[in-house]
Amino acid sequence: MKRPTFDVRGFLGERERPASVATTTSRGNPALAMMWFVAEENRLWFHTPEAGDRPAPFLDAARLGRDVAVMVATFAPPDDVRQIRMTGPARLERKDVRRIRRIYERYIPAWTGTWAAHAASPEAVLWSMTPDRGMAVEYPGLENTPVFRWSSAVEYARIGG
């Protein structure tokens, strides 16, 4: 198996790095959001508020097991341009406050009672996506490098550094 040109797992684990997540609404319109996440157990995990009477396209995708697309990237040319793009099925998960806390601790300076209440709130739902297909590429000095691709969750699980 070919290897990525950079540490994919390390990149996904970098603090404060958000993910761009895309899906479609029930009407077939595109939906895109920046989200906090944690990469664990060969999946990306998200915590999304239920919007009450407002549409929740990401939670709808998870409820229906539909694919979502995720991109985690840097864009600081010319030295740091890296992208990981992946697609795969989303699914709802059981509430796991410890995992939710690990999501938030990647982005906030300190865990507080307010964050703890948010993590435990019944109005927010834990969900994940399995990156069945994807690619990782970097452009050091804006030069092209080989694109590393995978086409199954098993191949993604084998990615090391």
Side-chain angles (χ1 to χ4, degrees):
M1 179 170 146
K2 290 171 88 174
R3 308 300 305 160
T5 59
F6 65 98
D7 179 1
V8 169
R9 301 286 183 179
F11 182 69
L12 292 174
E14 288 178 9
R15 289 185 50 79
E16 299 179 2
R17 184 158 317 285
S20 297
V21 185
T23 190
T24 54
T25 68
S26 60
R27 293 183 177 166
N29 297 319
L32 177 65
M34 293 293 287
M35 295 187 183
W36 292 355
F37 74 98
V38 67
E40 296 178 344
E41 297 177 15
N42 298 316
R43 288 185 276 171
L44 273 63
W45 298 79
F46 304 90
H47 191 235
T48 301
E50 189 96 60
D53 60 346
R54 294 191 328 251
F58 302 98
L59 296 179
D60 291 344
R63 279 188 190 93
L64 298 171
R66 290 195 330 246
D67 278 3
V68 297
V70 176
M71 183 169 76
V72 180
T74 62
F75 190 75
D79 300 320
D80 189 13
V81 180
R82 294 174 286 169
Q83 296 179 352
I84 300 174
R85 302 180 213 166
M86 43 198 140
T87 60
R91 72 180 194 199
L92 295 179
E93 301 287 351
R94 279 193 345 250
K95 180 74 79 177
D96 179 344
V97 175
R98 288 181 301 195
R99 188 180 313 269
I100 295 166
R101 180 175 177 156
R102 288 193 301 275
I103 293 170
Y104 287 100
E105 285 180 333
R106 288 173 32 98
Y107 302 92
I108 61 173
W111 191 250
T112 65
T114 301
W115 285 111
H118 179 71
S121 168
E123 284 86 35
V125 178
L126 183 65
W127 62 280
S128 70
M129 72 84 68
T130 302
D132 283 348
R133 296 160 307 283
M135 62 170 282
V137 65
E138 68 177 333
Y139 304 96
L142 300 180
E143 305 265 335
N144 285 330
T145 61
V147 175
F148 172 77
R149 297 181 189 277
W150 68 89
S151 59
S152 74
V154 171
E155 288 179 19
Y156 173 77
R158 290 185 187 142
I159 297 172

